[in-house]
Amino acid sequence: MSWGTELWDQFDNLEKHTQWGIEVLEKYIKFVKERAEIEINYAKQLRNLSKKYQTKKNSKEEEESKYTSCKAFQNTMNEMNDYAGQHEVISENMTSMIMAELTRFVQELKQERKSHFHEGRKAQQHIETCWKQLESSKRRFERDCKEADRAQQYFERMDADINVTKADVEKARQQAQIRHQMADDSKGDYSSVLQKFNHEQQEHYHTHIPTIFQKLQDLEERRITRLGDSLKTYAEIDRQVIPIIGKCLDGITKAAESINSKQDSQTVVESFKSGFEPPGDIDFEDFTQSMKRTVSDTSLTNNRADVKSDPKTPGKSRGKLWPFIKKNKLMSLLTSPHQPPPPPPASASPSAVPNGPQSPKQQKEPLSHRLNDFMTSKPKIHCFRSLKRGGATPEDFSNLPPEQRRKKLQQKVDELNKDLQKEIDQRDALTKMKDVYMKNPQMGDPASVAQKLIEIGSNIEKLRVEVQKFEGWLAEVEGRLPARNDNSRRQSALYETQNTAPVNNCAQDRESPDGSYTEDQSQETEVKVTPTEFDDDFDDEEPLSTIGSCKALYPFDGENEGTISVAEGEILNVIEEDKGDGWTRIRRNEEEEGYVPTSYIEVYLDKTAKDS
């Protein structure tokens, strides 16, 4: 089946059909282009999504990555990143293997089709020209025949007319002969042109047009075949990445199977284990017998011979909680707000405040000044810096519980050993290089690495000193962990609420008036104070008595530590006057007490309290 023989007269339809075929190919190219764009955008979104949920360095999430569930999630993000990469491969392959190839092929088809139809139009124009020549020769032959016939008839009329002269008859006869001769010549030209036209027509419809149409048929078949091959390539591109995508999905499945709930539970223990033991039982305190106080309100470390010799309270010191817990005197100093009180609401006029102008805002009162009333001429407690909130983390991690401190110290020792080994390896490499330079001076100057070796040696010594220092602290912690007494158990129970470091042998600290700390060992004596001594000093502290009452002028939230919330118009008891810092200590009931801004309340002191 050939277009040349079957469609010899469908030149225009074939032109339209081949143009439609090229448009179909261009439509497919556009489809592949949009699919590639979808793939690349999808890959980009997947990568952004994976990056968004990746663990950030130096963040809390990096600390959480030690759990198997978090590790599995991060592995899933990594696999999704690889999964996105396969979609990028799909986009790249479709662009290079289909779009680029088909675009080039379409350009070739257009040029070839244009050439074939140009030849076809040229052949058509030639046959049309031959046809016009034939028509022209035919019309001329017909006209000459008619002219010859009229001339013959005119001659016969002249010849039959007796009135016409012989000269006129002769002239008519000659004219008829001329017309007959012209008709014969036209006949010969027409016959020649006709034969030529028939030959050209035979060549046109049986040779030229079939050849051109056959080329167009081959072009169209190549287009169709190429489209089919492109569809196969389209499927093959997807099929090639299926194994890798399957591996990505297998990786996600493997990550899910690696989750170990027991191991995560153990990790929680390792992360938050303090190393303390739970507190023991609290001894019964018999208040039916008269208790005689032997320690003044402001004493911290007086002689305790009377108390220790009392046979009625043999286990009293062991049954007390750690220092500074629920002691009225000291807790009133430690929990009072360390910041100026807030001003009263702006809507209130100054005349509405019965207490007069509010207390002026003061700078943060130093801790040593706040404890001055009971620490005067007495040895100070070691490491009061640990009581200041927001302090910097000590180098030896003494602010952490024993178990967490041991882990941090072990981690620091490992890091230092790693850095030390790196420096040693670098020193060995430079030493070898120096030996090579000494043996072969043309390769380099040995003195060029000498200075570097000195620097590395200095770094090594510094790192070794650091390692020894942290190993000493680690050995100290590991030596203390097995020895767990009753006091350490009580410290564990109260560790979260106090957030203070255990009392140990550290330099005595003094806080300067501007809030900074200075070391002064000459003015203060270092004294080791045991927890039991603190307990007995404040064990029998009576609650502060009521010295008056007050009425809340404005509502106060009491969000800061040591403060108490009050409602407008509420009546409360006053247990401590304003000391000049703008705060007054009040009590709502026997258990709930705290500080409120003096300018927020109207105070009514008892007469006896005023006299005292």
Side-chain angles (χ1 to χ4, degrees):
M1 184 180 294
S2 172
W3 286 7
T5 58
E6 303 291 338
L7 303 175
W8 60 270
D9 57 345
Q10 300 298 321
F11 184 89
D12 294 338
N13 288 333
L14 287 180
E15 184 178 15
K16 294 179 182 179
H17 177 77
T18 52
Q19 178 63 32
W20 169 82
I22 292 178
E23 290 175 354
V24 169
L25 201 55
E26 290 177 337
K27 183 178 180 180
Y28 176 69
I29 293 174
K30 185 178 180 181
F31 160 76
V32 174
K33 179 181 179 181
E34 293 182 1
R35 165 70 190 280
E37 291 176 353
I38 291 174
E39 291 293 340
I40 197 67
N41 291 333
Y42 180 54
K44 183 178 180 180
Q45 292 178 359
L46 281 180
R47 286 193 184 277
N48 291 338
L49 182 65
S50 177
K51 183 179 179 181
K52 178 180 178 181
Y53 288 95
Q54 284 283 0
T55 300
K56 307 297 187 299
K57 291 184 178 180
N58 301 325
S59 66
K60 183 180 179 181
E61 295 179 358
E62 189 175 15
E63 187 70 18
E64 297 172 353
S65 61
K66 57 189 175 183
Y67 299 103
T68 58
S69 57
C70 294
K71 289 180 180 178
F73 179 70
Q74 292 306 316
N75 291 335
T76 300
M77 294 299 99
N78 294 333
E79 295 295 343
M80 289 305 298
N81 198 42
D82 296 338
Y83 184 88
Q86 298 309 308
H87 286 278
E88 290 178 347
V89 171
I90 292 175
S91 177
E92 293 172 359
N93 290 340
M94 286 187 174
T95 301
S96 60
M97 299 174 64
I98 298 180
M99 281 181 54
E101 294 294 331
L102 284 185
T103 302
R104 186 167 51 250
F105 179 68
V106 166
Q107 295 299 325
E108 295 175 356
L109 287 182
K110 288 182 177 180
Q111 292 294 332
E112 186 177 353
R113 174 181 174 278
K114 182 178 179 181
S115 175
H116 294 331
F117 279 103
H118 179 71
E119 292 179 2
R121 290 190 181 91
K122 188 177 179 180
Q124 282 188 335
Q125 290 177 357
H126 178 69
I127 197 65
E128 288 176 359
T129 301
C130 293
W131 171 256
K132 290 178 180 179
Q133 291 177 355
L134 177 62
E135 287 294 320
S136 176
S137 177
K138 180 180 178 181
R139 285 194 299 271
R140 187 171 60 252
F141 172 59
E142 182 180 5
R143 185 180 63 251
D144 290 344
C145 289
K146 290 181 179 180
E147 290 294 334
D149 187 50
R150 283 196 298 269
Q152 182 65 31
Q153 292 178 0
Y154 179 73
F155 168 68
E156 290 178 355
R157 284 198 308 269
M158 293 293 290
D159 188 45
D161 190 358
I162 59 176
N163 296 321
V164 178
T165 61
K166 186 176 181 180
D168 292 335
V169 174
E170 184 63 25
K171 183 179 179 180
R173 184 180 64 80
Q174 291 177 359
Q175 189 67 26
Q177 290 178 352
I178 292 173
R179 292 298 179 181
H180 279 291
Q181 183 65 39
M182 292 176 63
D184 292 339
D185 293 341
S186 297
K187 182 179 179 181
D189 291 341
Y190 172 66
S191 176
S192 174
V193 172
L194 180 60
Q195 291 179 359
K196 182 180 179 181
F197 174 78
N198 290 334
H199 176 73
E200 292 295 338
Q201 184 175 253
Q202 182 71 19
E203 290 291 327
H204 177 77
Y205 289 110
H206 293 83
T207 303
H208 297 309
I209 291 299
T211 301
I212 294 172
F213 283 7
Q214 186 62 42
K215 291 179 181 179
L216 290 174
Q217 183 179 357
D218 294 341
L219 181 145
E220 181 68 9
E221 290 177 354
R222 280 188 289 116
R223 180 194 67 80
I224 296 172
T225 303
R226 190 62 174 270
L227 180 59
D229 294 340
S230 298
L231 291 174
K232 291 180 181 179
T233 305
Y234 178 87
E236 189 63 27
I237 289 174
D238 273 344
R239 185 177 290 109
Q240 286 176 354
V241 301
I242 288 178
I244 303 178
I245 292 178
K247 291 182 179 179
C248 294
L249 299 178
D250 292 342
I252 295 175
T253 303
K254 185 177 179 181
E257 293 174 351
S258 67
I259 296 178
N260 190 330
S261 57
K262 298 295 183 182
Q263 183 177 344
D264 283 358
S265 299
Q266 182 62 29
T267 304
V268 174
V269 173
E270 295 174 357
S271 299
F272 302 108
K273 182 179 179 181
S274 66
F276 296 124
E277 292 184 2
D281 297 337
I282 299 176
D283 295 337
F284 175 76
E285 300 182 27
D286 190 358
F287 293 100
T288 59
Q289 300 179 6
S290 61
M291 306 294 292
K292 184 176 182 181
R293 295 180 55 83
T294 60
V295 183
S296 64
D297 290 347
T298 60
S299 174
L300 182 65
T301 56
N302 285 349
N303 189 352
R304 313 190 55 78
D306 295 340
V307 177
K308 292 181 180 178
S309 62
D310 188 356
K312 295 181 180 180
T313 57
K316 183 177 181 180
S317 62
R318 293 190 301 272
K320 303 296 175 261
L321 299 178
W322 205 62
F324 313 139
I325 302 303
K326 295 183 180 179
K327 308 303 181 193
N328 294 333
K329 181 72 174 179
L330 185 56
M331 287 303 292
S332 67
L333 298 170
L334 294 181
T335 60
S336 62
H338 290 187
Q339 58 185 4
S347 60
S349 62
S351 61
V353 184
N355 293 349
Q358 69 176 66
S359 300
K361 294 186 178 180
Q362 301 177 355
Q363 296 181 350
K364 181 179 179 182
E365 186 177 1
L367 184 60
S368 61
H369 293 180
R370 301 190 68 82
L371 302 178
N372 193 38
D373 62 338
F374 78 97
M375 295 296 293
T376 305
S377 72
K378 297 296 179 180
K380 288 190 176 181
I381 303 174
H382 290 273
C383 297
F384 268 117
R385 181 183 297 175
S386 62
L387 296 177
K388 182 180 180 182
R389 290 171 293 180
T393 303
E395 186 181 12
D396 59 351
F397 305 108
S398 58
N399 62 320
L400 298 176
E403 184 67 23
Q404 300 302 318
R405 185 187 180 195
R406 182 191 65 77
K407 290 181 61 180
K408 287 289 185 180
L409 290 173
Q410 184 63 54
Q411 182 180 357
K412 187 68 175 179
V413 168
D414 294 340
E415 293 177 357
L416 291 173
N417 284 328
K418 186 177 180 180
D419 295 340
L420 178 61
Q421 186 61 40
K422 187 184 298 183
E423 294 289 338
I424 292 175
D425 294 340
Q426 189 174 0
R427 182 192 62 183
D428 295 342
L430 288 176
T431 302
K432 293 180 181 179
M433 184 183 296
K434 182 178 180 182
D435 295 340
V436 172
Y437 288 171
M438 294 178 65
K439 293 178 182 179
N440 302 291
Q442 67 275 10
M443 297 183 65
D445 184 11
S448 63
V449 297
Q451 183 63 30
K452 187 65 176 178
L453 283 173
I454 295 175
E455 294 178 3
I456 293 177
S458 177
N459 293 338
I460 290 176
E461 290 302 322
K462 292 179 181 179
L463 287 173
R464 283 176 176 169
V465 171
E466 289 291 316
V467 169
Q468 292 176 0
K469 179 173 65 175
F470 280 93
E471 284 181 346
W473 287 332
L474 181 61
E476 178 185 356
V477 173
E478 290 178 344
R480 287 181 178 182
L481 282 179
R484 297 171 178 170
N485 52 25
D486 187 62
N487 292 329
S488 65
R489 289 194 296 271
R490 304 199 184 283
Q491 293 177 13
S492 174
L494 301 169
Y495 182 81
E496 293 297 331
T497 59
Q498 288 179 289
N499 194 21
T500 60
V503 178
N504 52 21
N505 292 333
C506 65
Q508 203 167 21
D509 300 333
R510 166 169 293 184
E511 187 176 19
S512 61
D514 60 354
S516 61
Y517 288 95
T518 58
E519 303 293 337
D520 189 356
Q521 297 180 354
S522 62
Q523 297 181 10
E524 299 175 358
T525 306
E526 293 186 4
V527 178
K528 294 183 178 179
V529 184
T530 60
T532 56
E533 291 175 346
F534 284 105
D535 292 339
D536 292 337
D537 274 340
F538 301 101
D539 179 65
D540 296 325
E541 188 78 26
E542 293 294 334
L544 293 177
S545 60
T546 302
I547 62 175
S549 61
C550 66
K551 178 182 179 181
L553 302 177
Y554 315 103
F556 179 65
D557 294 336
E559 297 178 350
N560 296 329
E561 183 178 359
T563 61
I564 183 174
S565 60
V566 297
E568 182 177 355
E570 186 176 1
I571 305 297
L572 305 106
N573 295 324
V574 179
I575 59 177
E576 184 178 316
E577 285 188 271
D578 186 352
K579 301 298 184 182
D581 57 358
W583 296 91
T584 300
R585 191 174 182 185
I586 63 173
R587 177 186 295 141
R588 178 176 284 111
N589 49 47
E590 293 301 327
E591 297 180 356
E592 190 175 3
E593 62 183 42
Y595 287 87
V596 295
T598 305
S599 58
Y600 275 56
I601 58 175
E602 182 178 0
V603 180
Y604 309 98
L605 294 178
D606 296 337
K607 182 177 181 181
T608 56
K610 293 181 181 179
D611 295 340
S612 61

